[in-house]
Amino acid sequence: MDYFLELFFGGLTRGSIYALVALGYTMVYGIIELINFAHGEIYMIGAFTGLIVAGVLGSLGFPVLGILFVALACAVVWSAAYGYTVEKIAYKPLRNAPRLSPLISAIGMSIFLQNYVLLAQTSDFLPFRKLTPDLGFMQPFRSFLSSSEIFIIGATAVVCVGLTLFIKYTRLGKAMRATAQNRKMAMLVGVKVDRVISATFVIGSALAAIGGVLIASHIGQINFYFGFIVGVKAFTAAVLGGIGSVPGAMLGGLVLGWTEAFATGYVSSDYEDVFAFALLVLILIFRPEGILGKDSTQKV
Amino acid sequence: MKAKWILNVLALVMVTMLAVGCGGEKKEETASAPAEEKAAPAAEAPKGEIVLGVAGAHSGDLASYGLPSVNAAELVAEKINAEGGVLGMQVKVVPQDDECKPEKATNAATKLLSENVTVVLGHICSGATKAALPIYKESKIVCMSPSATNPPLTQSGDYPNFFRTIASDDAQALLGVNFAKSLGLKNIAVIHDKGDYGKGFATFAQEFIDADPEINVVLFEGVTPGAVDYSAVVQKIKNSGADGVIFGGYHPEASKIVSQMRKKDLTIPFISDDGVKDDTFIKVAGDYAEGVYASGPMDISANPLYQVALDAHKAKYGTEPGAFYYEAYSAALALLNAIEKAGSTDYDAIVNALHTEYVETPVGKIKFDAKGDAEGVGFSMYQVQNGKYVELK
């Protein structure tokens, strides 16, 4: 039972990160039907920003929690700025181009950002300081749930609830839903569609940055390639849950995290990815729209 | 047009940010040794001359591995000739390029035979060496590689004419396993990164453990490099009841695994290979790196002959020597010493001398074991102590 719980929480942590990043994929897809392949790099940039800010604050002797919140805030702001700029540079000019063009532009952006950070920083792995304080009361459980894992799971839960409420109850959230439903109609009834799209990129990037800083603090190291695999996995999670659906991305992330953790624990870590992608294939065969995706009928 | 203004500012910010920050140290590539002219005098070697063939990649993309051997052979030959040669005969170096390609290696070997080589220093790559060895074996020519690490070259027993001055790939795994035994470990988890190098190391380690009734492999698994976290595999190690971990792979994965193990209060010994014996590992894993064991090439810089070889290279070529230079220098010394001790250029006499006579070289005082591996050359175990790798004697 202990072993099961350990794997369960390990999978939950990993799944939370996937979920945080997958939200960005799914929201962007929901609104403009674009798969933003540069999203993993935004996550990586968030982590790098956190590294720099934490390094500066750490050398000034700030307390751990203070560093965590300032680093998170800075990472959120920087990544949001990147998300916004990437959209303006790489996707907006192609808004009315064939579907393939923005996709290729996204891949180009991803490679560009990776190499940009590689040149501006270094290809080496860099140590990332631990930003989460040790929670004293967790001592008896720390063998299967560490404080940084609690922070990751907790932050993800807060973000998911907050995002759901945001989409449901705010004007911007309503505008986002309207744009997702029918962009042209939304425009006709006075929704500023461009602004909504920008907001989507900003929010998605901010969430990815939170994930980036928290996981970097959890595993203690980053490099420029740090976002690539997470990007692929989070995209898988988004598709698994039903791309375009916000709860779907969260669920997809968790399902993927648990699949990997239990496959590693009960079968072999050699097959971690095999199981993850086999699950994806199975879901796509039997439920092509994803677990919570809507079966959208093609408009004529 | 406020949005446009914001956009411009953001674009500017994007270009400037991250350009400052924590730029890492840049490692300078050391220039490879100057290209060597191919010497190809077709005339038959006159009596009273030792012909030292040097085969390996002297051109192509792997030339940086082969050319240092040519330099080493030249320097050793020069030194020995100045001291009166071997058995009163002068040493002539005959380089032959094989580009590390097996099909060219057989040509190179035939070419060297036609030049009446006495002994051959080379080849450089394991594949090329394997292709060329039967040709030398048939003609009874001793061949010594400074760099071919593939274990079966010596261990298969197929090539009694083959020797090497570098430890084979499995030597490290054997060292790791023996070290684990010396720590009193019984149940070992063998983890690798699924790569050629890491998995190769792990597989050898597993074989050595299986061959020993006192210790067992309780877990043998590969992890995915770059995965988000390794907590599941760490739990698995814990659950397997292992009292030690042997890891084959590189430092990014090792540092993640060690950190997560330590965070989960799993303090069992962690033993790894020279992919982990890297200062970046200590930098990244920080405090969690303390106490980690990793094997790496023996530190030979305290050896006076190391300094001699280094100075000779700097004096003649003006550069730092390249890859496998000291191994090649040692091999040339060992070959010529064996001829000297054997008192003749007869094949059996040379082979016998290589097995029995010690010779002082930059890689240490060596002779060769029954299979052809240099004794005393190889790896040492290091441990991270106070943020530094310390060689354990």
Side-chain angles (χ1 to χ4, degrees):
Chain A
M1 193 61 199
D2 267 10
Y3 186 49
F4 177 84
L5 277 181
E6 285 164 4
L7 294 176
F8 178 85
F9 284 116
L12 185 59
T13 309
R14 188 190 283 223
S16 297
I17 295 298
Y18 293 159
L20 277 179
V21 183
L23 285 171
Y25 278 107
T26 216
M27 282 165 61
V28 166
Y29 185 85
I31 299 234
I32 54 172
E33 304 206 337
L34 161 76
I35 293 160
N36 177 16
F37 276 115
H39 196 56
E41 274 57 53
I42 299 286
Y43 158 93
M44 176 267 293
I45 283 169
F48 262 97
T49 313
L51 174 83
I52 294 168
V53 172
V56 172
L57 293 184
S59 65
L60 294 177
F62 274 67
V64 183
L65 263 182
I67 297 178
L68 174 67
F69 286 118
V70 177
L72 272 178
C74 291
V76 161
V77 171
W78 277 130
S79 286
Y82 264 82
Y84 179 86
T85 316
V86 163
E87 196 268 330
K88 287 283 180 254
I89 292 174
Y91 309 139
K92 189 163 177 240
L94 300 171
R95 189 72 42 84
N96 296 315
R99 286 278 286 277
L100 208 52
S101 308
L103 191 73
I104 292 169
S105 179
I107 293 171
M109 205 65 208
S110 157
I111 295 171
F112 167 78
L113 287 175
Q114 253 179 41
N115 284 279
Y116 173 59
V117 175
L118 165 67
L119 292 174
Q121 300 293 326
T122 162
S123 61
D124 275 352
F125 277 82
L126 297 169
F128 198 102
R129 67 167 60 226
K130 192 163 175 278
L131 297 179
T132 49
D134 269 319
L135 302 174
F137 67 90
M138 283 307 298
Q139 204 55 38
F141 309 108
R142 68 175 266 201
S143 64
F144 61 85
L145 190 60
S146 67
S147 64
S148 53
E149 287 170 328
I150 292 181
F151 269 84
I152 291 173
I153 297 166
T156 309
V158 169
V159 162
C160 288
V161 171
L163 187 68
T164 312
L165 294 178
F166 175 82
I167 291 176
K168 209 157 189 180
Y169 294 113
T170 62
R171 274 178 71 87
L172 185 55
K174 206 178 269 176
M176 282 165 82
R177 279 182 290 150
T179 312
Q181 232 166 44
N182 189 329
R183 201 195 307 166
K184 202 172 259 171
M185 270 326 262
M187 216 186 291
L188 287 177
V189 297
V191 174
K192 294 202 171 71
V193 170
D194 277 340
R195 193 173 288 178
V196 170
I197 293 172
S198 293
T200 311
F201 271 87
V202 164
I203 295 170
S205 306
L207 301 184
I210 295 175
V213 172
L214 287 177
I215 194 74
S217 149
H218 176 55
I219 60 177
Q221 57 174 282
I222 57 173
N223 78 337
F224 75 99
Y225 202 58
F226 169 76
F228 181 75
I229 290 180
V230 174
V232 172
K233 289 282 171 68
F235 172 61
T236 310
V239 175
L240 206 59
I243 193 149
S245 150
V246 168
M250 300 172 196
L251 185 68
L254 294 183
V255 167
L256 190 67
W258 278 321
T259 308
E260 289 185 354
F262 288 124
T264 301
Y266 290 113
V267 188
S268 162
S269 59
D270 287 315
Y271 299 106
E272 184 185 286
D273 288 353
V274 176
F275 277 93
F277 290 107
L279 174 75
L280 179 70
V281 170
L282 280 181
I283 296 267
L284 289 182
I285 289 174
F286 293 107
R287 208 180 142 74
E289 64 275 17
I291 303 172
L292 295 183
K294 280 192 213 79
D295 186 9
S296 62
T297 42
Q298 204 67 39
K299 284 183 276 284
V300 185
Chain B
M1 285 295 98
K2 205 168 162 194
K4 200 154 228 168
W5 182 81
I6 294 174
L7 169 63
N8 290 341
V9 171
L10 281 173
L12 197 69
V13 163
M14 262 184 87
V15 177
T16 49
M17 90 158 273
L18 290 177
V20 286
C22 43
E25 317 95 90
K26 298 227 159 60
K27 283 172 202 145
E28 288 291 325
E29 288 280 317
T30 43
S32 61
E36 202 67 26
E37 283 287 308
K38 270 188 223 169
E44 193 181 313
K47 286 256 181 289
E49 193 175 65
I50 304 270
V51 182
L52 174 62
V54 183
H58 304 155
S59 67
D61 53 350
L62 297 172
S64 62
Y65 290 128
L67 288 171
S69 303
V70 183
N71 293 348
E74 296 276 5
L75 289 168
V76 171
E78 239 169 56
K79 183 165 158 256
I80 287 185
N81 286 341
E83 288 164 3
V86 178
L87 306 173
M89 294 182 276
Q90 291 286 294
V91 179
K92 191 175 87 175
V93 174
V94 179
Q96 192 66 53
D97 187 11
D98 70 5
E99 295 177 36
C100 266
K101 293 181 177 145
E103 69 277 13
K104 296 213 170 169
T106 51
N107 287 342
T110 319
K111 190 87 195 299
L112 282 175
L113 291 178
S114 74
E115 308 229 3
N116 289 321
V117 284
T118 321
V119 286
V120 173
L121 168 59
H123 296 217
I124 299 298
C125 301
S126 293
T129 309
K130 199 164 188 179
L133 275 176
I135 298 173
Y136 296 122
K137 187 180 166 188
E138 205 163 289
S139 307
K140 298 212 155 195
I141 300 286
V142 167
C143 188
M144 189 180 289
S145 172
S147 57
T149 52
N150 181 259
L153 286 175
T154 50
Q155 290 166 11
S156 66
D158 290 345
Y159 307 110
N161 60 327
F162 180 69
F163 299 83
R164 60 180 153 204
T165 49
I166 192 165
S168 61
D169 287 338
D170 58 339
Q172 243 193 121
L174 184 61
L175 176 70
V177 169
N178 285 336
F179 186 77
K181 263 185 86 175
S182 74
L183 289 177
L185 306 181
K186 295 269 177 279
N187 300 311
I188 296 172
V190 180
I191 308 294
H192 58 84
D193 67 356
K194 299 192 221 171
D196 281 346
Y197 167 70
K199 191 167 185 183
F201 174 87
T203 311
F204 282 122
Q206 188 191 26
E207 280 168 14
F208 292 128
I209 295 174
D210 284 344
D212 193 320
E214 285 171 41
I215 46 180
N216 316 302
V217 177
V218 289
L219 181 68
F220 182 83
E221 267 193 18
V223 297
T224 312
V228 176
D229 82 340
Y230 292 127
S231 64
V233 86
V234 167
Q235 302 292 9
K236 204 165 182 186
I237 294 171
K238 204 168 152 189
N239 202 43
S240 71
D243 51 14
V245 175
I246 291 183
F247 175 76
Y250 297 100
H251 63 82
E253 280 69 54
S255 58
K256 277 193 217 174
I257 294 174
V258 167
S259 307
Q260 296 205 327
M261 277 170 60
R262 301 304 184 236
K263 280 183 197 165
K264 305 268 180 209
D265 289 337
L266 195 58
T267 52
I268 58 177
F270 189 90
I271 301 166
S272 195
D273 51 27
D274 62 340
V276 173
K277 201 208 148 267
D278 183 309
D279 288 338
T280 315
F281 171 75
I282 301 176
K283 195 177 84 184
V284 170
D287 290 344
Y288 298 117
E290 277 306 302
V292 164
Y293 302 99
S295 50
M298 259 176 204
D299 187 7
I300 55 168
S301 57
N303 187 330
L305 272 171
Y306 166 90
Q307 204 57 43
V308 169
L310 177 64
D311 291 344
H313 193 281
K314 277 190 177 158
K316 182 158 182 194
Y317 301 104
T319 55
E320 293 282 327
F324 309 120
Y325 171 76
Y326 300 104
E327 285 80 6
Y329 196 96
S330 305
L333 281 176
L335 285 168
L336 297 175
N337 175 69
I339 297 172
E340 177 88 52
K341 293 277 166 62
S344 83
T345 55
D346 174 58
Y347 169 76
D348 294 315
I350 296 176
V351 168
N352 188 39
L354 283 170
H355 286 306
T356 52
E357 300 287 347
Y358 276 101
V359 55
E360 288 282 359
T361 70
V363 297
K365 188 177 179 188
I366 55 170
K367 75 181 178 70
F368 295 85
D369 65 16
K371 287 176 172 159
D373 281 318
E375 285 174 1
V377 167
F379 298 97
S380 313
M381 195 51 87
Y382 293 77
Q383 184 181 30
V384 182
Q385 292 174 1
N386 302 318
K388 266 203 296 284
Y389 271 112
V390 179
E391 190 172 2
L392 302 174
K393 301 278 176 182

